[in-house]
Amino acid sequence: MANYSVCGIDCEKCKVGQSNGCKGCREIKGKVFWGECDLYKCNFHKNQDHCGKCAQFPCDMLKEWASSENPERINNLRKL
């Protein structure tokens, strides 16, 4: 089974994360190699497992992130 981040990235396929030692936002509690993840914080504060559980899914922040990289994340969340 895939290791999906809260925003729908398949961490097992993320080359950038793997090359930077990232084990996935769930395991490292949103403190990823590039800083603290706003999407992780949002889900944590809403006590949600992932963005797909949000009443505002897909929100503007998620859409913006998906448009710049990993566009498959929204479809991954729909499947979850």
Side-chain angles (χ1 to χ4, degrees):
M1 183 170 163
N3 175 20
Y4 287 110
S5 67
V6 298
C7 68
I9 291 175
D10 184 345
C11 297
E12 293 172 7
K13 294 180 181 177
C14 180
K15 304 285 187 225
V16 175
Q18 289 174 355
S19 66
N20 286 287
C22 181
K23 296 178 182 175
C25 67
R26 294 174 194 276
E27 188 170 327
I28 57 178
K29 306 211 184 308
K31 293 176 177 71
V32 291
F33 62 94
W34 47 262
E36 194 169 12
C37 177
D38 290 333
L39 286 169
Y40 181 89
K41 284 193 300 187
C42 181
N43 280 280
F44 179 80
H45 291 299
K46 291 179 179 180
N47 199 28
Q48 304 177 146
D49 190 41
H50 56 76
C51 292
K53 301 278 187 181
C54 186
Q56 296 172 321
F57 174 79
C59 70
D60 290 339
M61 182 169 36
L62 180 62
K63 288 180 196 174
E64 181 181 338
W65 287 33
S67 70
S68 64
E69 57 184 57
N70 303 97
E72 73 281 358
R73 70 176 82 208
I74 292 176
N75 287 332
N76 290 343
L77 290 167
R78 284 188 174 117
K79 292 175 191 175
L80 293 176

